[in-house]
Short mmCIF file of all heavy atoms in Angstrom, two decimals:
data_model
loop_
_atom_site.label_atom_id
_atom_site.label_comp_id
_atom_site.label_asym_id
_atom_site.label_seq_id
_atom_site.Cartn_x
_atom_site.Cartn_y
_atom_site.Cartn_z
N SER F 103 0.41 -14.25 -27.18
CA SER F 103 0.13 -15.34 -26.24
C SER F 103 -0.66 -14.84 -25.03
O SER F 103 -1.29 -15.64 -24.32
CB SER F 103 1.43 -16.01 -25.79
OG SER F 103 2.14 -15.20 -24.86
N LEU F 104 -0.64 -13.54 -24.80
CA LEU F 104 -1.38 -12.97 -23.68
C LEU F 104 -2.88 -13.16 -23.81
O LEU F 104 -3.59 -13.25 -22.81
CB LEU F 104 -1.04 -11.49 -23.52
CG LEU F 104 0.35 -11.20 -22.99
CD1 LEU F 104 0.77 -9.79 -23.32
CD2 LEU F 104 0.42 -11.47 -21.50
N VAL F 105 -3.38 -13.25 -25.03
CA VAL F 105 -4.81 -13.43 -25.25
C VAL F 105 -5.26 -14.77 -24.66
O VAL F 105 -6.26 -14.84 -23.94
CB VAL F 105 -5.17 -13.33 -26.75
CG1 VAL F 105 -6.63 -13.68 -26.99
CG2 VAL F 105 -4.84 -11.94 -27.27
N GLU F 106 -4.50 -15.83 -24.92
CA GLU F 106 -4.83 -17.14 -24.36
C GLU F 106 -4.69 -17.13 -22.84
O GLU F 106 -5.51 -17.71 -22.13
CB GLU F 106 -3.93 -18.21 -24.96
CG GLU F 106 -4.20 -18.48 -26.43
CD GLU F 106 -3.19 -19.44 -27.03
OE1 GLU F 106 -2.52 -20.18 -26.27
OE2 GLU F 106 -3.06 -19.44 -28.26
N MET F 107 -3.65 -16.47 -22.34
CA MET F 107 -3.46 -16.38 -20.90
C MET F 107 -4.63 -15.63 -20.25
O MET F 107 -5.07 -15.98 -19.16
CB MET F 107 -2.14 -15.69 -20.58
CG MET F 107 -0.92 -16.46 -21.06
SD MET F 107 0.61 -15.50 -20.95
CE MET F 107 0.95 -15.69 -19.20
N ASP F 108 -5.12 -14.62 -20.95
CA ASP F 108 -6.24 -13.84 -20.42
C ASP F 108 -7.51 -14.68 -20.35
O ASP F 108 -8.30 -14.54 -19.41
CB ASP F 108 -6.46 -12.59 -21.28
CG ASP F 108 -7.47 -11.65 -20.66
OD1 ASP F 108 -7.32 -11.32 -19.47
OD2 ASP F 108 -8.41 -11.24 -21.35
N GLU F 109 -7.71 -15.54 -21.33
CA GLU F 109 -8.88 -16.42 -21.29
C GLU F 109 -8.84 -17.32 -20.06
O GLU F 109 -9.88 -17.59 -19.44
CB GLU F 109 -8.97 -17.24 -22.58
CG GLU F 109 -9.35 -16.41 -23.80
CD GLU F 109 -9.30 -17.20 -25.10
OE1 GLU F 109 -9.20 -18.44 -25.06
OE2 GLU F 109 -9.37 -16.55 -26.16
N LEU F 110 -7.64 -17.76 -19.68
CA LEU F 110 -7.50 -18.60 -18.50
C LEU F 110 -7.83 -17.84 -17.22
O LEU F 110 -8.52 -18.36 -16.33
CB LEU F 110 -6.09 -19.19 -18.42
CG LEU F 110 -5.70 -20.16 -19.52
CD1 LEU F 110 -4.22 -20.53 -19.41
CD2 LEU F 110 -6.58 -21.40 -19.48
N ILE F 111 -7.36 -16.61 -17.12
CA ILE F 111 -7.65 -15.83 -15.92
C ILE F 111 -9.12 -15.41 -15.88
O ILE F 111 -9.73 -15.35 -14.81
CB ILE F 111 -6.68 -14.63 -15.76
CG1 ILE F 111 -6.58 -14.21 -14.29
CG2 ILE F 111 -7.07 -13.47 -16.63
CD1 ILE F 111 -5.45 -13.25 -14.00
N ASP F 112 -9.71 -15.16 -17.05
CA ASP F 112 -11.14 -14.84 -17.10
C ASP F 112 -11.97 -16.05 -16.62
O ASP F 112 -12.94 -15.89 -15.87
CB ASP F 112 -11.58 -14.46 -18.52
CG ASP F 112 -11.06 -13.10 -18.95
OD1 ASP F 112 -10.56 -12.34 -18.10
OD2 ASP F 112 -11.14 -12.81 -20.16
N GLY F 113 -11.58 -17.23 -17.06
CA GLY F 113 -12.27 -18.45 -16.63
C GLY F 113 -12.12 -18.67 -15.13
O GLY F 113 -13.07 -19.06 -14.45
N ALA F 114 -10.93 -18.41 -14.61
CA ALA F 114 -10.70 -18.54 -13.17
C ALA F 114 -11.58 -17.55 -12.41
O ALA F 114 -12.14 -17.89 -11.36
CB ALA F 114 -9.23 -18.33 -12.85
N ASN F 115 -11.71 -16.35 -12.93
CA ASN F 115 -12.57 -15.35 -12.30
C ASN F 115 -14.02 -15.85 -12.26
O ASN F 115 -14.69 -15.72 -11.23
CB ASN F 115 -12.47 -14.02 -13.04
CG ASN F 115 -13.31 -12.93 -12.41
OD1 ASN F 115 -13.22 -12.66 -11.22
ND2 ASN F 115 -14.15 -12.30 -13.21
N ARG F 116 -14.50 -16.41 -13.35
CA ARG F 116 -15.87 -16.94 -13.37
C ARG F 116 -16.05 -18.06 -12.35
O ARG F 116 -17.08 -18.13 -11.66
CB ARG F 116 -16.24 -17.41 -14.78
CG ARG F 116 -16.51 -16.27 -15.76
CD ARG F 116 -17.09 -16.76 -17.07
NE ARG F 116 -16.17 -17.60 -17.82
CZ ARG F 116 -15.21 -17.15 -18.63
NH1 ARG F 116 -15.06 -15.86 -18.79
NH2 ARG F 116 -14.42 -17.98 -19.27
N ARG F 117 -15.05 -18.93 -12.22
CA ARG F 117 -15.14 -20.02 -11.23
C ARG F 117 -15.15 -19.47 -9.81
O ARG F 117 -15.89 -19.97 -8.96
CB ARG F 117 -13.99 -21.00 -11.43
CG ARG F 117 -14.17 -21.88 -12.67
CD ARG F 117 -13.14 -22.99 -12.74
NE ARG F 117 -11.76 -22.52 -12.84
CZ ARG F 117 -11.19 -22.10 -13.96
NH1 ARG F 117 -11.87 -22.08 -15.11
NH2 ARG F 117 -9.93 -21.69 -13.97
N VAL F 118 -14.36 -18.44 -9.55
CA VAL F 118 -14.36 -17.83 -8.23
C VAL F 118 -15.73 -17.24 -7.91
O VAL F 118 -16.24 -17.40 -6.80
CB VAL F 118 -13.25 -16.75 -8.12
CG1 VAL F 118 -13.45 -15.85 -6.91
CG2 VAL F 118 -11.88 -17.41 -8.06
N VAL F 119 -16.34 -16.58 -8.87
CA VAL F 119 -17.68 -16.02 -8.66
C VAL F 119 -18.65 -17.14 -8.28
O VAL F 119 -19.42 -16.99 -7.32
CB VAL F 119 -18.17 -15.28 -9.92
CG1 VAL F 119 -19.64 -14.93 -9.82
CG2 VAL F 119 -17.33 -14.02 -10.15
N HIS F 120 -18.61 -18.25 -8.99
CA HIS F 120 -19.51 -19.37 -8.67
C HIS F 120 -19.22 -19.93 -7.28
O HIS F 120 -20.14 -20.27 -6.54
CB HIS F 120 -19.42 -20.47 -9.72
CG HIS F 120 -20.00 -20.07 -11.04
ND1 HIS F 120 -21.34 -19.75 -11.21
CD2 HIS F 120 -19.42 -19.88 -12.25
CE1 HIS F 120 -21.56 -19.41 -12.46
NE2 HIS F 120 -20.41 -19.48 -13.12
N GLN F 121 -17.95 -20.01 -6.91
CA GLN F 121 -17.59 -20.50 -5.58
C GLN F 121 -18.10 -19.56 -4.49
O GLN F 121 -18.60 -20.01 -3.46
CB GLN F 121 -16.07 -20.67 -5.44
CG GLN F 121 -15.52 -21.86 -6.20
CD GLN F 121 -14.01 -21.92 -6.11
OE1 GLN F 121 -13.33 -20.94 -6.40
NE2 GLN F 121 -13.49 -23.06 -5.69
N ILE F 122 -17.99 -18.28 -4.73
CA ILE F 122 -18.44 -17.30 -3.75
C ILE F 122 -19.96 -17.38 -3.59
O ILE F 122 -20.47 -17.32 -2.47
CB ILE F 122 -17.98 -15.88 -4.13
CG1 ILE F 122 -16.47 -15.77 -3.94
CG2 ILE F 122 -18.71 -14.82 -3.31
CD1 ILE F 122 -15.85 -14.53 -4.51
N LEU F 123 -20.65 -17.55 -4.69
CA LEU F 123 -22.11 -17.66 -4.62
C LEU F 123 -22.56 -18.89 -3.85
O LEU F 123 -23.67 -18.92 -3.30
CB LEU F 123 -22.70 -17.66 -6.03
CG LEU F 123 -22.58 -16.34 -6.79
CD1 LEU F 123 -23.08 -16.50 -8.22
CD2 LEU F 123 -23.33 -15.22 -6.08
N SER F 124 -21.70 -19.89 -3.78
CA SER F 124 -22.08 -21.12 -3.09
C SER F 124 -21.66 -21.14 -1.62
O SER F 124 -21.86 -22.14 -0.94
CB SER F 124 -21.48 -22.34 -3.81
OG SER F 124 -20.08 -22.35 -3.65
N LEU F 125 -21.07 -20.05 -1.13
CA LEU F 125 -20.64 -20.01 0.27
C LEU F 125 -21.85 -20.13 1.20
O LEU F 125 -22.96 -19.74 0.86
CB LEU F 125 -19.88 -18.72 0.57
CG LEU F 125 -18.49 -18.61 -0.04
CD1 LEU F 125 -17.89 -17.24 0.26
CD2 LEU F 125 -17.58 -19.71 0.46
N SER F 126 -21.57 -20.60 2.38
CA SER F 126 -22.65 -20.84 3.35
C SER F 126 -23.33 -19.55 3.77
O SER F 126 -22.91 -18.46 3.42
CB SER F 126 -22.08 -21.55 4.57
OG SER F 126 -21.29 -20.64 5.32
N ALA F 127 -24.33 -19.70 4.58
CA ALA F 127 -25.10 -18.55 5.05
C ALA F 127 -24.39 -17.82 6.19
O ALA F 127 -24.91 -16.84 6.71
CB ALA F 127 -26.48 -19.01 5.51
N ASP F 128 -23.20 -18.26 6.57
CA ASP F 128 -22.43 -17.61 7.63
C ASP F 128 -22.12 -16.18 7.21
O ASP F 128 -21.43 -15.95 6.21
CB ASP F 128 -21.14 -18.40 7.88
CG ASP F 128 -20.24 -17.77 8.92
OD1 ASP F 128 -20.55 -16.66 9.40
OD2 ASP F 128 -19.21 -18.40 9.24
N PRO F 129 -22.61 -15.19 7.96
CA PRO F 129 -22.41 -13.79 7.55
C PRO F 129 -20.93 -13.39 7.46
O PRO F 129 -20.57 -12.62 6.57
CB PRO F 129 -23.10 -12.97 8.66
CG PRO F 129 -23.96 -13.93 9.39
CD PRO F 129 -23.43 -15.30 9.17
N ASP F 130 -20.07 -13.90 8.35
CA ASP F 130 -18.66 -13.56 8.27
C ASP F 130 -18.03 -14.10 6.99
O ASP F 130 -17.27 -13.41 6.32
CB ASP F 130 -17.90 -14.10 9.49
CG ASP F 130 -18.25 -13.35 10.76
OD1 ASP F 130 -18.66 -12.17 10.66
OD2 ASP F 130 -18.11 -13.94 11.84
N LEU F 131 -18.35 -15.35 6.68
CA LEU F 131 -17.81 -15.97 5.47
C LEU F 131 -18.36 -15.29 4.22
O LEU F 131 -17.66 -15.10 3.24
CB LEU F 131 -18.10 -17.47 5.45
CG LEU F 131 -17.36 -18.29 4.41
CD1 LEU F 131 -15.86 -18.08 4.51
CD2 LEU F 131 -17.71 -19.75 4.56
N ARG F 132 -19.61 -14.87 4.29
CA ARG F 132 -20.23 -14.19 3.15
C ARG F 132 -19.54 -12.84 2.93
O ARG F 132 -19.23 -12.47 1.80
CB ARG F 132 -21.72 -14.02 3.39
CG ARG F 132 -22.47 -13.56 2.16
CD ARG F 132 -23.98 -13.61 2.31
NE ARG F 132 -24.44 -13.08 3.58
CZ ARG F 132 -25.22 -13.75 4.44
NH1 ARG F 132 -25.64 -14.95 4.15
NH2 ARG F 132 -25.59 -13.20 5.58
#
Side-chain angles (χ1 to χ4, degrees):
S103 75
L104 288 160
V105 174
E106 291 174 20
M107 296 170 80
D108 189 51
E109 289 174 13
L110 295 173
I111 204 168
D112 289 348
N115 182 53
R116 286 189 295 276
R117 286 189 298 280
V118 165
V119 169
H120 290 297
Q121 287 176 307
I122 290 169
L123 292 174
S124 69
L125 289 176
S126 72
D128 177 355
D130 289 335
L131 192 54
R132 191 171 44 234

